[in-house]
Amino acid sequence: MHDKTIAELSAALAARELSAVELTQALLDRIEAHNGTLNAFITVTAEQALEQARRADERIAKGEAGALTGIPIAHKDNFCTAGVLTTCASRMLHNFVPPYDATVVARLEEAGVVMLGKTNMDEFAMGSSNETSYYGPVKNPWDTERVPGGSSGGSAAAVAAGLVPGATATDTGGSVRQPAAFCGVSGLKPTYGRVSRYGIVAFASSLDQASVIARSAEDLALLLQAMAGFDERDSTCVDLAVPDYRAGLEQPLDGVRIGLPREYFQDGVEPELAKVIEAAVEEYRRLGAEIKEVSLPHNALAVAAYHVIAPAEASSNLARFDGVRYGYRCENPRDLEDLYMRSRGEGFGTEVKRRLLIGTRALLAEYYQDAFLKAQKIRRLIHNDFIEAFKQVDVLLGPTTGAPAFRLGEKSADPVQMYLTDVFTIAANLAGLPALSLPAGQVDGLPVGMQLIGRHFDEARLLNLAHRFQQATDWHTVRPQNFE
Amino acid sequence: MEWETVIGLEVHAQLMTRSKIFSGASTAYGAAPNTQACAVDLAMPGTLPVLNEEALRMAVKFGLAIGAEIPDRSVFARKNYFYPDLPKGYQISQHDQPVVANGYIEIDLEDGTTKRIGIIRAHLEEDAGKSLHEDFHGLTGIDLHRAGTPLLEIVSAPDLRSAKEAVAYLKKLHSLVTYLEICDGNMQEGSFRCDANVSVRRKGDPCFGTRVELKNINSFRFVERAINYEVERQIDLLESGGQVVQETRLYDADRNETRSMRTKEEATDYRYFPDPDLLPVVITSEFIESVRKTLPELPDAKRDRFMEQYGLSRYDADVLTSTRELADYYEAVVRAAGQDQAKPAANWVMGELSGALNRDGIDITASPVSAEMLAQLLQRIADNTISGRIAKEVFEAMWEGEGSADEIIEKRGLKQITDVAAIEAMIDEVLAAHPKQVEQYKSGQAKLLGYFVGQVMKLSGGKANPAQLNQLLRQKLGSAGE
């Protein structure tokens, strides 16, 4: 049952072919068996999960079940979960148990899901390989010598390895799409403002977006349906009706205009991987879509602008971790300055410190104009590129990454090489657009992800396109050998 | 050498919203430490701020009252610095797009003229918590009770030229924010706090001198003293060939001196940037109009109306309109006593009543003598039931809770004697008892008239009508020194 989709499991639960407790126990057993290898979970909440499963079975028995009742999921460890350790994969929060749920967690619980635990990630979501975690790197289920991608590496690996059918994640610069691509699963970053950020430990407030990872577009639709919508506790969350995502999945693609941004098919894409994407484009042509080339002329500036804006916001967002109220505090501080210096010095890892320093500098009065404000101007230009492109086409398509998963340690010594792995994903965050990555094929036995980018709040179309592709192809059903 | 003082004031007025500016926690004063701080105030991970619309409404109300510009877009910014009682490691404030810009208020100068003082800006921000350094055995206690309380920071132009002008401005501002009911004005509890930027320059010099920021001046009296101390310090320094250093100095009220806190070199770079958790605030003209409808009559307009409607001097009208409560009390007295009592009412409110309130430290809203009670007293003076002197005795009795004016007059038998025959009888008795003084008066010592008045008054127990007594006494004695 571990390789079934949420939609399939939901039907089985409703038909009473399976109980939520059985399902939960089976997946807890798999986590027990494989987490030692994968390191995808930081915390497993077995007892609580079984209790939730029992309640779900009661709801199902009473005929009060929804599509997600009794479905086991995992939350990335930057979602606050009341009474459950929430570490952000940082020593800084190694002991932090929030007294409240993130809005996303509360809404999914309301929908009846069973939380199996909290997934590993790059520390404070800063990283593209999951190697910056205080709890050690997550391994890619397709090849445990390779990274699962990051920062939502734990969620992607857990879904790919059949430890859980779906998981929440966050995406600030590609943190859902890149690991989804590396692990051969589907990941959706909704429009900025579509899903509440309340209770998600902030990395970069203007870019962070609650996201989902699952094995099919239909499952993404089911999860997003429960998560999306206005939340008065998040001022940046938009008060806009949520469509029925599942209802639009089957729409035919005749006449849908797909744009191929020229810049996504130039440097930085391995030829074998480009062929996989080209084949996927052909598939869409067969499905009735019109294919057009478009241009996003400022895309080359995206990584640089992102690495000013994101760390600048992070430098301020992470100032609250000062050893005063919660989280890590150094031993025997001599005075206030010592408390600050050592609590932060010992509590944060290298990559986080690097970004805090970059961000702090970008905001200094001396650099504000040339760094922060310039990056904001670039952000506006990138946004405008998309608006122009969407006058000609309905969706943009390209590779999620330029290459499949790299080896552990391969890029960790060179931060810039690491940052450049996000070259195709970052622009959607800067423009606040929804973007989805789905498996499109393989290169040398490793999965390859294809990215779809849509207009603001047009998640339904992305899900529709992904679903039609998954009906026509089998790439999303291929599982890593050692975890079948 | 003649020196000119240049002062600009920054006032932090705590807004009277029920909940905090970015969270739903209560703002009530005086609760136990940390009991009114929610997850947002504690800056727990993942929490987000949501603007309290009431705070915005109050800021706009202030802006309208000072004739300021209210931009259609206002932006919250983060002011980043580390301090243990600043939970997020930044304060949400406003930087280059404040909610109020370019207003003014007018102050009265001692020479009777008025002066317009510019208000460059007023912006919304959240207060920090408090660090408590006592009672923790060498450790520091943090109380985040106050964290997130809404503040309006009101920044004046450097238009003030003396400590006295600064105090006049501050009092006017204090009166305005309390009139608007956006701030309770309590300086002891820190609801209305003031920092002063002070510099001196040679008279006629178009450039400003180096300014010093004075912190911790929390009463009108201290503002005047602190500025005067600082001005003298700066002049002494310059006249002895030294230079003023740009710095922040703390006023020590006990020693009446200012001490250096930090110099410009040590100043923090606050790394201001727009808060990405809060969208720019769009202020529509409909919103502004809805706030304008809630504006009360403002102090200056009320003063002018008092002069016009009650025939008061500018000074009296100014005093009576200094707070909304005092003005309301005065108008209630006139309403009950009659328009013809407007002037006596002003004298009594500013005299006996204010004196008693000050003496006993009572707020006018808690006065044991209500406006209606005072009005009755004024009527008894007007209809000659009692004299002004007896009225003071009656007032004191009312103050002590002995009842209304009529009850006290009745109980104590204070009704004025206006019966001519009764007064004449007392005069006769006094004159008969003092033949020698009558002789002296008749031989020219006119000032003895007062002596006789006093004796008769004494005999009447103070109740003889003074005007009648004077007249009848003159008649009896005839003119002095014929």
Side-chain angles (χ1 to χ4, degrees), chain A residues 2-74:
Chain A
H2 66 267
D3 54 356
K4 289 192 158 42
T5 64
I6 291 173
E8 288 161 353
L9 291 169
S10 182
L13 287 168
R16 314 294 288 275
E17 292 160 12
L18 178 70
S19 78
V21 170
E22 285 165 353
L23 175 60
T24 300
Q25 190 58 60
L27 294 180
L28 287 171
D29 292 346
R30 274 186 73 79
I31 293 170
E32 176 80 30
H34 296 296
N35 198 47
T37 312
L38 294 174
N39 198 25
F41 281 82
I42 292 174
T43 302
V44 178
T45 50
E47 245 174 75
Q48 187 181 320
L50 288 167
E51 176 53 36
Q52 282 181 326
R54 270 189 288 276
R55 284 205 300 273
D57 280 332
E58 283 168 24
R59 271 173 81 171
I60 293 166
K62 284 190 216 157
E64 294 168 358
L68 294 179
T69 307
I71 300 297
I73 64 158

Side-chain angles (χ1 to χ4, degrees), chain A residues 183-331:
Chain A
C183 292
V185 292
S186 303
L188 170 64
K189 177 199 97 72
T191 310
Y192 184 82
R194 177 79 284 182
V195 181
S196 170
R197 291 186 295 117
Y198 189 86
I200 299 170
V201 183
F203 160 16
S205 309
S206 75
L207 300 160
D208 293 347
Q209 185 56 210
S211 307
V212 275
I213 290 177
R215 295 195 200 110
S216 70
E218 185 178 21
D219 287 2
L220 294 177
L222 286 169
L223 290 169
L224 180 63
Q225 198 74 51
M227 290 161 58
F230 181 61
D231 177 11
E232 59 179 17
R233 290 186 298 178
D234 176 1
S235 308
T236 62
C237 193
V238 178
D239 192 358
L240 190 72
V242 180
D244 183 341
Y245 294 117
R246 210 178 183 182
L249 291 175
E250 306 287 343
Q251 290 269 334
L253 301 186
D254 298 305
V256 170
R257 296 167 302 166
I258 296 178
L260 307 180
R262 197 175 303 141
E263 295 76 8
Y264 284 17
F265 292 87
Q266 292 169 349
D267 304 339
V269 184
E270 284 185 6
E272 290 302 307
L273 193 146
K275 283 182 195 158
V276 169
I277 302 301
E278 281 153 20
V281 171
E282 281 314 306
E283 188 61 49
Y284 274 116
R285 213 190 291 274
R286 272 196 292 281
L287 289 167
E290 276 173 41
I291 310 295
K292 266 181 105 164
E293 196 182 84
V294 295
S295 176
L296 300 170
H298 296 94
N299 190 63
L301 300 172
V303 174
Y306 173 88
H307 281 283
V308 170
I309 294 167
E313 292 181 6
S315 72
S316 178
N317 282 334
L318 272 61
R320 67 188 61 197
F321 304 110
D322 56 6
V324 173
R325 294 169 313 288
Y326 47 74
Y328 180 77
R329 178 187 284 191
C330 67
E331 299 274 347

Side-chain angles (χ1 to χ4, degrees), chain A residues 80 96 99-100 192 197-201 205-206 232-236 312-313 315-317 319-321 324-326 336 340 344 360 363-365 368 372, chain B residues 39-51 78 80 82-90 142 144 269-279:
Chain A
C80 285
F96 178 65
Y100 47 88
Y192 184 82
R197 291 186 295 117
Y198 189 86
I200 299 170
V201 183
S205 309
S206 75
E232 59 179 17
R233 290 186 298 178
D234 176 1
S235 308
T236 62
E313 292 181 6
S315 72
S316 178
N317 282 334
R320 67 188 61 197
F321 304 110
V324 173
R325 294 169 313 288
Y326 47 74
L336 181 62
Y340 284 154
R344 290 171 66 81
T360 299
L363 289 175
L364 287 174
Y368 189 77
F372 191 74
Chain B
V40 176
D41 306 324
L42 294 172
M44 297 294 268
T47 59
L48 296 170
V50 176
L51 177 63
R78 294 186 184 177
N80 295 283
F82 283 97
Y83 205 73
D85 59 26
L86 186 73
K88 292 189 290 294
Y90 58 86
I142 308 289
L144 295 177
D269 183 332
Y270 289 116
R271 294 177 283 126
Y272 279 102
F273 74 107
D275 191 333
D277 286 331
L278 292 159
L279 300 172

Side-chain angles (χ1 to χ4, degrees), chain B residues 426-439:
Chain B
M426 287 188 282
I427 291 172
D428 290 343
E429 193 182 329
V430 165
L431 296 185
H434 299 88
K436 200 172 154 196
Q437 281 86 347
V438 174
E439 276 307 308

